[in-house]
Amino acid sequence: PEMSLNIDPAETSFPATGGTVTVKIVSSSESKLAFKVKTSNNQCYRVKPVFGFIEPKADAPLEIMRVDGPPKDDKLVVQWAEVPAEETDPKAPFAAGAQQGEAILPMKA
């Protein structure tokens, strides 16, 4: 099936000493999407926002910050779910187990 959500660029890299990269979460859906961001390495990475919404056919910035740490390959996972236009809490669909898909961003340091 066509992915309703993609990450642009599809891969990113950081200096092992740390740094910040901003990527775009891009929706191709006709519906409003809620998203939740997870990383494979919470020691080294911080993301803003962790939860949010993307309007239909729009995109949203995602800031990824890496702190100083040993170089290794990690990944960022953006889980998403379609939500009603009137939904106001981006955490609610995930608390209810509504995840419909995920996009994965490989990260190298």
Side-chain angles (χ1 to χ4, degrees), residues 16-58:
T17 52
T20 302
V21 170
T22 301
V23 297
K24 282 196 305 197
I25 304 173
V26 182
S27 171
S28 57
S29 174
E30 302 286 347
S31 306
K32 181 175 179 177
L33 299 179
F35 67 85
K36 173 183 180 180
V37 183
K38 297 161 100 171
T39 76
S40 60
N41 182 346
N42 289 328
Q43 268 75 47
C44 287
Y45 291 96
R46 305 284 179 270
V47 294
K48 280 197 307 210
V50 175
F51 288 92
F53 290 115
I54 304 179
E55 295 302 321
K57 304 279 189 193

Side-chain angles (χ1 to χ4, degrees), residues 12-21 44-45 64-72 74 107-109:
T12 187
S13 61
F14 294 85
T17 52
T20 302
V21 170
C44 287
Y45 291 96
I64 308 165
M65 188 185 89
R66 188 184 201 281
V67 297
D68 191 4
K72 70 190 263 297
D74 290 298
M107 300 187 296
K108 295 188 184 318

